Amino acid sequence: MQTIEINSKKISRMLYQWLLLTVELKTGEKFIYRLLETGTFAAFIDAPDKDKFYRNNIESNKEFKRIQLFG
């Protein structure tokens, strides 16, 4: 499992393993995304504006299954 601390306005940190992307927002909300390909994660890491990439390519992508975690 990879844990990545993100320097962004919205995202606190991310965890990635086996096409599952866990996103922890600074508001405390946590979401799991089931990705279709590993390239999405690599593109996120290489993106200059991670907040914009998350909003446009992950959060709004209807092909990714999104599950909210409580706790």
Side-chain angles (χ1 to χ4, degrees), residues 8-12 24-27 51 54-55 59:
S8 83
K9 297 174 190 167
K10 240 180 131 172
I11 303 167
S12 176
E24 184 177 331
L25 302 179
K26 291 195 176 181
T27 60
D51 288 318
Y54 171 70
R55 185 176 57 250
E59 188 177 41

Side-chain angles (χ1 to χ4, degrees), residues 15-46:
L15 301 117
Y16 178 73
Q17 182 177 15
W18 299 103
L19 295 180
L20 293 176
L21 180 68
T22 304
V23 177
E24 184 177 331
L25 302 179
K26 291 195 176 181
T27 60
E29 293 176 292
K30 293 180 185 176
F31 299 98
I32 290 181
Y33 292 90
R34 183 171 175 259
L35 304 179
L36 302 176
E37 59 185 31
T38 57
T40 302
F41 180 71
F44 174 80
I45 295 302
D46 294 336

Side-chain angles (χ1 to χ4, degrees), residues 42-68:
F44 174 80
I45 295 302
D46 294 336
D49 186 345
K50 291 181 178 34
D51 288 318
K52 184 177 180 182
F53 186 92
Y54 171 70
R55 185 176 57 250
N56 294 338
N57 297 80
I58 297 175
E59 188 177 41
S60 65
N61 191 335
K62 302 299 182 208
E63 293 180 3
F64 297 160
K65 182 172 177 147
R66 174 176 153 156
I67 302 164
Q68 184 166 5

